[in-house]
Amino acid sequence: MTVSRRADFPLLVANPELHYLDSAATSQKPKAVLDAMRAYYEHDNANPHRGAYDLSVRATQRYHDARTRVARFIGLADADCLIFTRGTTEALNLVATAWGHANVQAGDEIVVTGLEHHANFVPWQQVARARGAALRVCPLTEDQRVDLDALRGLVGSRTRVVAFSHVSNAVGTVNPVNDIAQIARSVGALVVVDGAQAVPHMRVGFDALDVDFYAFSGHKMCGPMGIGGLAGRRAILETMSPYQFGGDMIEFVRDDYSTWNVLPHKFEAGTPNVADAVGLAAACDYLDGIGMDAVLSHERALVRLLSSRLAEVEGVHVFGPQPEQRSGVVSFTVADIHPHDLATILDKDGVCIRAGHHCAQPLMRRLGVPATARASFYVYSEERDVDALVRAIERARAIFASPQLVE
Ligand code: PLP
């Protein structure tokens, strides 16, 4: 087991008895990120791009530097092709709205997979409905991987978009991005990847991936809430119309028409979220300081440990592929205990897990369950968190087995 970084996270230091196992929902924030944001507000805060005065120039520079830093973190050389958004949801809606509505025609097809978070499902469903296209959902294997043979059979000359997650938030499956992209490319489809659960946990090299768009969220990778990004291919971004209008994104405004600013500003209408961009850049520094390979192996070790411990608990069913094909997520059910009841009982022991459909109702339907319980790890997770979780599950089982409760 590699070293936990718990000491870097003020919230966890202040709550030594807390077992935070909900990092797939949002991560805790290291002091380095909190300090960077505070320093920005204390020393450099002004509205960027607008002022001729030095302070505004400094704020503009901080924003620009943050973009360059984050782009480097995700392996994107052309930093102007990184659009800052509120997060993955906004990034995917941007593509669906600005590209989808303009390019998908009646009779076309959009392919998503049965693993998708609603953020990468509903926007495409809505494009399909609005344009008279069909949404096709790629089936999964028994262990919740994308069925590549089924995908080959599903795509065709009418497929305009293949949208899929790099890593599933609900069961942790790590998808083979380039294999899926190759199948999409074989029919000339746009390739859109939801990287919300990948960028925080593994090395992602956008330029080395054969994809057109890649979306991610800052708050899941030690950064603040309210910032994320969309990496895209310049040739495609240049052809797209803006999807929001206002300050910063224009070149000229006449009474009857307007022209647009260059990338990335064309897609960033209004005052940008500079402090959160600065925080996200600090999060990239923080994660690079650990090393993304070390992050992944730390999580995998905990996933392996928890999986083996859960295998010894009667009535537990774990979803998803083997730990080697999963990120730091363990999604499971315990016989006769609803995941919501389980999460409530665990909370009494200071164990924070997520219970529900994980914004993936189409997947839950395919699994035949209304919900699962999900434990998810990050750089601050420790073996004692696993111990506490397993102990608390045993306690929940004992409570539900007691005759008083059954009566
Ligand atoms: N996609 C996946 C796989 C996710 O896990 C999440 C968040 O849980 C999202 C998209 C949406 O991210 P956000 O809420 O940060 O926009």
Side-chain angles (χ1 to χ4, degrees):
M1 183 70 53
T2 48
V3 180
S4 144
R5 305 284 164 156
R6 191 170 173 116
D8 296 340
F9 291 78
L11 185 145
L12 299 175
V13 171
N15 296 279
E17 300 307 318
L18 192 72
H19 301 284
Y20 185 74
L21 292 170
D22 196 18
S23 294
T26 197
S27 71
Q28 296 302 334
K29 319 302 172 199
K31 187 168 181 304
V33 167
L34 303 175
D35 287 349
M37 292 172 67
R38 186 178 181 93
Y40 168 77
Y41 276 127
E42 284 184 351
H43 302 292
D44 296 328
N45 178 53
N47 204 319
H49 302 144
R50 310 239 165 123
Y53 54 93
D54 180 60
L55 190 60
S56 173
V57 173
R58 269 209 321 270
T60 306
Q61 190 61 44
R62 297 298 307 275
Y63 191 52
H64 174 83
D65 291 347
R67 192 187 312 277
T68 309
R69 179 65 187 94
V70 177
R72 181 153 56 85
F73 186 77
I74 58 163
L76 169 67
D78 187 351
D80 288 343
C81 291
L82 172 64
I83 317 297
F84 278 131
T85 62
R86 281 192 295 121
T88 306
T89 303
E90 189 181 30
L92 293 167
N93 274 276
L94 192 166
V95 181
T97 306
W99 192 93
H101 284 278
N103 290 283
V104 174
Q105 311 295 339
D108 284 347
E109 295 178 357
I110 298 172
V111 174
V112 296
T113 84
L115 278 174
E116 298 317 304
H117 187 284
H118 296 159
N120 199 30
F121 194 100
V122 183
W124 299 113
Q125 178 192 65
Q126 295 305 306
V127 172
R129 286 173 69 91
R131 304 298 302 163
L135 185 76
R136 302 259 180 258
V137 183
C138 181
L140 306 174
T141 60
E142 285 285 300
D143 58 352
Q144 291 92 48
R145 288 174 296 113
V146 174
D147 185 334
L148 296 181
D149 288 333
L151 182 63
R152 278 185 203 96
L154 205 61
V155 299
S157 60
R158 298 307 308 254
T159 310
R160 299 292 284 138
V161 180
V162 175
F164 61 98
S165 45
H166 191 161
V167 174
S168 156
N169 65 307
V171 290
T173 312
V174 180
N175 285 317
V177 174
N178 275 342
D179 292 348
I180 297 175
Q182 205 176 28
I183 295 170
R185 293 289 188 219
S186 71
V187 295
L190 189 84
V191 183
V192 181
V193 182
D194 171 351
Q197 298 292 342
V199 175
H201 305 287
M202 59 191 63
R203 190 183 302 280
V204 170
F206 176 81
D207 289 338
L209 295 173
D210 187 18
V211 309
D212 296 310
F213 290 104
Y214 194 100
F216 61 98
S217 295
H219 69 95
K220 296 180 193 289
M221 52 184 286
C222 294
M225 287 187 176
I227 187 107
L230 177 71
R233 297 278 164 223
R234 178 175 281 276
I236 302 174
L237 287 167
E238 300 274 17
T239 63
M240 284 161 55
S241 295
Y243 88 124
Q244 286 181 347
F245 303 93
D248 264 9
M249 52 73 62
I250 49 83
E251 182 189 33
F252 298 113
V253 178
R254 307 285 185 227
D255 280 2
D256 55 348
Y257 76 94
S258 301
T259 56
W260 316 132
N261 203 343
V262 295
L263 293 173
H265 313 294
K266 181 168 86 167
F267 293 106
E268 293 185 3
T271 299
N273 186 358
V274 183
D276 287 343
V278 167
L280 180 53
C284 295
D285 287 343
Y286 178 78
L287 288 172
D288 269 344
I290 299 171
M292 292 312 290
D293 294 341
V295 171
L296 185 61
S297 60
H298 180 72
E299 292 176 18
R300 284 237 165 103
L302 290 166
V303 166
R304 273 195 301 272
L305 177 66
L306 177 57
S307 301
S308 68
R309 297 282 302 278
L310 288 179
E312 289 161 14
V313 182
E314 211 184 306
V316 170
H317 178 78
V318 177
F319 296 92
Q322 292 306 306
E324 286 65 34
Q325 293 171 316
R326 246 192 287 157
S327 68
V329 166
V330 180
S331 199
F332 60 96
T333 50
V334 181
D336 303 325
I337 309 180
H338 191 284
H340 286 152
D341 293 333
L342 183 69
T344 306
I345 294 170
L346 264 54
D347 181 49
K348 300 272 181 291
D349 293 345
V351 177
C352 313
I353 62 157
R354 176 120 322 207
H357 53 63
H358 314 296
C359 296
Q361 288 180 12
L363 173 61
M364 294 297 123
R365 263 200 312 282
R366 284 164 174 79
L367 296 179
V369 294
T372 73
R374 181 189 72 185
S376 51
F377 298 113
Y378 209 14
V379 293
Y380 37 73
S381 307
E382 302 180 340
E383 276 187 41
R384 68 189 180 96
D385 299 322
V386 172
D387 292 340
L389 171 60
V390 175
R391 247 193 336 265
I393 292 172
E394 293 285 23
R395 200 170 73 78
R397 289 186 65 243
I399 292 171
F400 269 75
S402 78
Q404 296 93 312
L405 193 86
V406 174
E407 282 161 16

